[in-house]
Amino acid sequence: MTDTPLRIGIIGGTGLGDALGAEAGETRELDTPFGKPSSPITLTQWHGVEIAILQRHGPGHVFNPTHVPYRANIHALKSLGVTHVLASGATGSLQEHIQPGQLVIADQVIDRTHRRAKTFYEHAAVHVEFSEPFCPVMRQWLLAAAKRLDSDVKVHDGGTYVCMEGPAFSTKAESHMHRQMGGDLIGMTCMPEAKLAREAELAYALIAMPTDYDCWRPHTSDQPVQALLEEIMGNLKRATTANISLMKAALSDVTLLSQQPSPAHDALKLAIWSDKSKLDPAEVERLSVLWGRYFEQAEVG
């Protein structure tokens, strides 16, 4: 992977390209062995950096977290030559010190989803190493960029993201349980996205955008529901503005990503436990975008 040209896939919401100020590019409509991705992918540049922008929930936010086509999204990005994935998403905060409107560069995840396809390799034994679910090189890159931001943009170094199934939010009992489990953030989209990126040998990092304190922290006022919702939307707007600033700062210097390979780029090297000669050649070919380089000299079928 060290000789592969750098291309950063950005997974976020509608209008992200315009917010970044990305140059005019081309839009690709793709199909994959796992269906169509959730949106067309825009191939463009930001100050010379090749980027590919994908809307996780689709145009108009039509996919709820359970039904996002995660496998199609990651496969499509891989097929377009993406080497690194920079994802972002709204979350709740499970800790007092992580305030709504701030940012968190997550470093751990607890997967509590149960209705989602979590692997590309359903007809082979493939076991990727996942103790560190977020790329340490990308985390270092983002944290270095955070130091170049205005002092009023608070970026937390590390946090455990609890990924729940949804689409309903937590009960109070669940919210307290997530805190007791060691969670710092609660969201619905990190998994299986991060795991699939690892299976595709893509470096992956996540910028979490807390919008509220979930429901574990009692409200201290008698605000009506509408006012609370407006407060949450205001926090999301502040976090989104900070997120765009962080992305711009990071993309302005990708030297670290160019010079230091991610451990994820060789994630399949020791992960394919199946005897390659026993695998169905049609399945090997179907997933060639993901694992093809490990079968170039192997006798299959």
Side-chain angles (χ1 to χ4, degrees):
M1 290 289 291
T2 55
D3 297 328
T4 303
L6 178 72
R7 174 171 280 174
I8 300 175
I10 300 179
I11 301 178
T14 304
L16 183 58
D18 291 338
L20 281 172
E23 301 169 20
E26 62 172 312
T27 298
R28 297 279 189 91
E29 296 267 4
L30 299 177
D31 204 352
T32 79
F34 304 96
K36 292 183 177 296
S38 53
S39 79
I41 298 175
T42 301
L43 297 177
T44 182
Q45 291 188 346
W46 195 88
H47 292 207
V49 178
E50 297 285 339
I51 60 176
I53 302 173
L54 183 146
Q55 298 174 41
R56 181 188 286 115
H57 294 282
H61 207 101
V62 296
F63 292 105
N64 75 29
T66 294
H67 293 105
V68 169
Y70 296 101
R71 292 193 295 184
N73 288 349
I74 296 299
H75 188 284
L77 291 174
K78 178 74 172 183
S79 72
L80 291 172
V82 164
T83 56
H84 299 72
V85 174
L86 178 56
S88 62
T91 68
S93 170
L94 295 173
Q95 300 297 333
E96 191 78 44
H97 70 281
I98 299 177
Q99 298 177 14
Q102 298 178 346
L103 301 177
V104 182
I105 311 302
D107 67 336
Q108 278 297 325
V109 65
I110 296 172
D111 186 4
R112 296 198 65 241
T113 65
H114 56 274
R115 296 177 56 199
R116 310 175 188 188
K118 300 185 182 186
T119 182
F120 292 112
Y121 308 107
E122 296 176 315
H123 304 288
V126 178
H127 306 282
V128 292
E129 200 281 329
F130 202 57
S131 62
E132 300 294 335
F134 303 102
C135 172
V137 180
M138 291 190 73
R139 291 193 69 257
Q140 183 182 349
W141 169 64
L142 288 170
L143 291 169
K147 294 178 180 178
R148 302 195 294 271
L149 298 178
D150 294 336
S151 58
D152 60 342
V153 178
K154 174 65 175 178
V155 180
H156 294 271
D157 177 1
T160 295
Y161 183 127
V162 179
C163 191
M164 62 183 290
E165 186 65 54
F169 294 115
S170 304
T171 66
K172 285 185 180 180
E174 290 170 334
S175 193
H176 285 294
M177 177 187 70
H178 294 149
R179 281 167 48 79
Q180 292 171 354
M181 291 169 62
D184 299 298
L185 305 159
I186 180 72
M188 301 181 189
T189 56
C190 176
M191 295 296 285
E193 192 173 88
K195 189 173 291 184
L196 293 168
R198 182 65 53 86
E199 286 195 344
E201 299 193 315
L202 299 179
Y204 180 97
L206 175 74
I207 304 172
M209 301 185 294
T211 62
D212 55 40
Y213 281 109
D214 201 36
C215 59
W216 65 270
R217 186 175 184 264
H219 296 291
T220 56
S221 69
D222 296 324
Q223 286 179 289
V225 172
Q226 183 62 34
L228 290 171
L229 290 175
E230 290 175 357
E231 179 181 323
I232 289 171
M233 294 308 296
N235 291 333
L236 177 59
K237 184 176 180 180
R238 286 195 299 121
T240 300
T241 299
N243 181 39
I244 294 297
S245 296
L246 178 56
M247 284 188 175
K248 286 181 176 180
L251 291 171
S252 68
D253 185 356
V254 295
T255 304
L256 180 64
L257 301 187
S258 298
Q259 295 181 348
Q260 187 169 340
S262 168
H265 290 159
D266 292 309
L268 295 180
K269 187 175 182 179
L270 300 176
I272 304 172
W273 290 21
S274 296
D275 181 341
K276 295 184 179 67
S277 68
K278 303 298 184 183
L279 296 177
D280 182 350
E283 181 70 0
V284 173
E285 177 60 27
R286 187 175 79 97
L287 302 180
S288 60
V289 165
L290 305 171
W291 64 359
R293 70 187 181 116
Y294 295 100
F295 290 86
E296 291 174 357
Q297 297 180 346
E299 186 176 330
V300 181

